[in-house]
Amino acid sequence: MTGTTADLAEGLLHRGLISADALARARSIEADSDEDLATILTRLGILSEQALVEFYRDSTGLPLVGGDGWPAAPVLPAGDVSLAFLRAHLVLPLAREGGVLVVATADPLRPFAAEALGQLAGCPVTCRIAARGEIEAAIDRLYGEGRADAAPGSAADEEDLERLRDLVSDAPVIRAVNRLIADAVEQRASDIHLEPTEDRLAVRYRIDGVLVDQPSLPPVMRAAIVSRIKVMAELNIAERRLPQDGRLRVAVRGHEIDLRVAIAPSIHGQTVVLRILDKSGMALDFASLGFSPELAARMEASLARPHGIMLVTGPTGSGKTTTLYAALASLDAETRKILTVEDPIEYRLPGIVQTQINPAIGLDFAAALRSFLRQDPDVMMVGEIRDLETAQIAIQAALTGHGLLSTLHTNTAAGAVTRLLDMAVEPFLLASTLNAVVAQRLVRRLCPHCRVPHTPGPGQRAALGCADDAQFWQAQGCAECGHTGFRGRIALVEFLEVDEAVAQAILERADAREIARRAGAYATMLQDGLAKAAAGLTTIDEVLRVTQDG
């Protein structure tokens, strides 16, 4: 097979590894950039590095570099080899075997770079194939700043801003960051955690609420990876002592992904958490979030009331913001003026005016709400009621004929009432303005392809109050769910409607238990969870994991 881009494209199409549309998209990018076709295909996520390596192996008959095939020391002296040449062409001398130089290459269809190394060594060349990331890591270890014979202090010289700027513009670093994000999106992760240790940069993805270890990155890449992310998020690459927050946007598989960036110092360097905000996978309807048809109808009836407050409560990461967005999406933005104030704005909603708070200039939740009242709104959403001032303005808005949605950090729906009373909100004001409170937690959703029936033991049945013949389900694992047994998450919900009985309990300053007892049609999160477990949507263990504190 001759070494041309046309050969690569024809071979990938012939084997069905890419589509004609995907190839056309990559070709258009190739025409406006200095990247080769293979790099663009892997960067866009159209083709994985492993699939590319296997294609090259099958097409050329060349062997892959084995796990023990990487040298412990440079085969050619560092002074004789150009680091820029190795990085640009992704080749690396592996060994001398019987007067032949063995070279790892990421692109065996273009052998001229490997042949150039052979001319430098004065001997013929034989090639082996390796993934781009593996070659990049080996080049950095053997010939880059992380090599054993580097000048003292050069690997840790993070104060040198010019070197950092050079590093973040290197193609290997750019590809590594793009690959991390694309891989996380492919695995349906909600967060990427980069945690430096003494000997590596640990990588973990949060998938369905659980952290999962990923292959680590070499320590020499720590500063470059963090600095690259800072540049993308328009943060200060020179500041390593203070936490920084930012946002960035990248394209993965043809659609844009927003990421929230949080960087903080640690003993071994800077830790990074990237929150993935993928609008394409966001379901803005109550049924998809896990609300039963009856509960969704009650939510919509409460939202249809012309004024009053609806609260969504739960701990951080319980899906409160998504439920608020679903509530906003159920309203008719064409006939209503809808304003939001958020910290931060996670998703852009069409037809709705969204505002980001900025405490540095005095724009907090209370100040924004106060200004909103002068803009003739129908419905307002405030990201969180954190203090008495915000609560008072929210109540004032409800009393003057506006609808208001917000969140609160409490464990139960009834607990939200007592929390507001503890903030010194007057009971008569709260009883007359609060329409409903939703409390929720997220549990992992069982994979429908591999779930298996499960009958709980007598002790668990007694503890849960289940009948002896109660039938539930448990996780098993298959290729569809990545062998975890779960795929996605679903909300466990309790809904407290403020009817006359609940309003009277608020006026009496009753505690949360008494408010819940008086509420009509009030099902706890545990009861909702058991119903979902019986329906095969989740497991008893998942339900107990998130409701035992409630």
Side-chain angles (χ1 to χ4, degrees):
M1 195 171 190
T2 58
T4 66
T5 301
D7 291 328
L8 174 63
E10 182 183 345
L12 293 173
L13 281 173
H14 178 71
R15 293 172 186 265
L17 295 174
I18 61 173
S19 66
D21 289 343
L23 176 60
R25 190 164 87 248
R27 285 289 205 192
S28 66
I29 296 173
E30 182 185 23
D32 297 326
S33 73
D34 58 357
E35 293 181 307
D36 61 75
L37 180 63
T39 300
I40 293 169
L41 290 172
T42 55
R43 177 170 63 80
L44 294 179
I46 296 172
L47 187 69
S48 70
E49 284 199 357
Q50 187 58 37
L52 182 62
V53 165
E54 292 173 357
F55 166 76
Y56 282 144
R57 178 198 61 195
D58 297 341
S59 301
T60 65
L62 294 173
L64 304 181
V65 178
D68 58 351
W70 300 101
V75 175
L76 298 180
D80 295 346
V81 181
S82 166
L83 176 60
F85 178 84
L86 298 179
R87 283 177 170 167
H89 300 289
L90 291 172
V91 289
L92 178 72
L94 294 176
R96 291 180 186 265
E97 295 179 353
V100 175
L101 182 68
V102 182
V103 176
T105 177
D107 187 355
L109 301 185
R110 297 192 296 176
F112 71 90
E115 291 168 357
L117 290 178
Q119 292 177 4
L120 179 66
C123 58
V125 168
T126 182
C127 289
R128 292 178 186 169
I129 305 168
R132 293 163 175 254
E134 294 176 347
I135 294 180
E136 289 164 0
I139 290 172
D140 283 333
R141 176 173 58 85
L142 296 169
Y143 293 96
E145 287 84 353
R147 66 184 188 274
D149 62 343
S154 63
D157 188 15
E158 294 182 358
E159 296 293 338
D160 185 352
L161 296 183
E162 289 304 318
R163 186 177 69 84
L164 282 180
R165 292 189 181 100
D166 289 342
L167 280 174
V168 299
S169 62
D170 264 2
V173 174
I174 294 172
R175 282 200 296 269
V177 173
N178 290 340
R179 191 164 55 243
L180 269 176
I181 296 172
D183 187 44
V185 172
E186 184 74 18
Q187 294 192 46
R188 303 176 295 102
S190 61
D191 303 85
I192 302 171
H193 292 249
L194 304 178
E195 300 160 344
T197 66
E198 285 189 45
D199 59 349
R200 63 194 175 103
L201 181 62
V203 180
R204 297 195 288 174
Y205 297 160
R206 188 176 294 280
I207 302 173
D208 296 334
V210 178
L211 284 172
V212 180
D213 285 332
Q214 305 295 316
S216 300
L217 295 171
V220 71
M221 297 187 72
R222 285 186 301 203
I225 292 286
V226 174
S227 296
R228 173 62 187 169
I229 292 171
K230 284 184 175 181
V231 168
M232 295 171 71
E234 299 182 352
L235 301 177
N236 182 2
I237 66 172
E239 179 55 72
R240 297 181 292 113
R241 301 164 300 171
L242 297 174
Q244 296 188 68
D245 297 312
R247 299 178 69 95
L248 62 93
R249 178 174 292 180
V250 296
V252 176
R253 289 194 174 277
H255 63 271
E256 289 189 331
I257 303 292
D258 288 323
L259 296 104
R260 279 168 46 193
V261 182
I263 298 177
S266 73
I267 190 172
H268 294 300
Q270 298 170 89
T271 65
V272 181
V273 178
L274 301 171
R275 169 66 58 86
I276 299 171
L277 307 172
D278 183 1
K279 292 189 283 281
S280 67
M282 185 181 181
L284 290 182
D285 64 274
F286 295 125
S288 298
L289 298 179
F291 287 65
S292 66
E294 177 189 357
L295 185 53
R298 293 178 69 191
M299 283 280 292
E300 290 167 354
S302 183
L303 288 166
R305 297 174 67 173
H307 54 80
I309 299 171
M310 174 181 283
L311 296 176
V312 182
T313 77
T316 300
S318 60
K320 300 188 298 295
T321 302
T322 305
T323 297
L324 282 181
Y325 283 140
L328 292 175
S330 72
L331 301 173
D332 185 359
E334 291 187 4
T335 60
R336 300 190 191 193
K337 174 84 168 184
I338 303 176
L339 306 174
T340 76
V341 53
E342 306 172 53
D343 181 28
I345 298 173
E346 295 195 1
Y347 297 97
R348 274 69 172 177
L349 300 175
I352 295 176
V353 178
Q354 296 175 268
T355 301
Q356 165 75 50
I357 71 165
N358 188 350
I361 60 172
L363 183 62
D364 55 15
F365 285 128
L369 263 184
R370 197 179 291 110
S371 71
F372 281 179
L373 290 174
R374 298 189 289 271
Q375 297 187 29
D376 188 30
D378 294 296
V379 178
M380 293 175 286
M381 189 269 273
V382 56
E384 183 183 349
I385 294 178
R386 297 176 177 173
D387 50 42
L388 176 60
E389 183 183 12
T390 307
Q392 288 174 333
I393 299 171
I395 287 173
Q396 179 188 348
L399 287 171
T400 53
H402 303 91
L404 191 130
L405 308 175
S406 190
T407 70
L408 203 63
H409 283 278
T410 60
N411 288 332
T412 65
V417 175
T418 56
R419 174 78 181 98
L420 290 169
L421 293 175
D422 289 343
M423 282 185 184
V425 174
E426 291 293 341
F428 72 94
L429 291 175
L430 188 60
S432 60
T433 57
L434 187 63
N435 290 341
V437 184
V438 179
Q440 66 181 61
R441 300 286 192 283
L442 293 179
V443 294
R444 290 183 291 174
R445 187 193 293 262
L446 270 171
C447 173
H449 300 281
C450 63
R451 65 185 183 186
V452 293
H454 167 65
T455 302
Q460 196 173 42
R461 288 200 302 271
L464 296 173
C466 300
D468 290 344
D469 60 348
Q471 180 71 60
F472 296 97
W473 302 79
Q474 66 183 11
Q476 180 169 277
C478 66
E480 291 288 334
C481 59
H483 302 284
T484 64
F486 299 94
R487 186 173 179 86
R489 290 192 287 178
I490 192 172
L492 305 187
V493 185
E494 62 185 34
F495 183 83
L496 174 69
E497 187 172 3
V498 181
D499 53 17
E500 289 186 11
V502 173
Q504 183 60 40
I506 294 173
L507 291 172
E508 297 171 6
R509 291 184 177 271
D511 62 20
R513 190 183 301 273
E514 177 63 16
I515 291 172
R517 189 187 67 80
R518 296 194 196 181
Y522 181 75
T524 66
M525 270 184 286
L526 177 60
Q527 292 169 325
D528 186 48
L530 290 177
K532 288 182 167 73
L537 298 175
T538 189
T539 66
I540 289 179
D541 289 340
E542 280 291 297
V543 172
L544 294 178
R545 177 176 65 84
V546 302
T547 59
Q548 283 177 334
D549 66 339

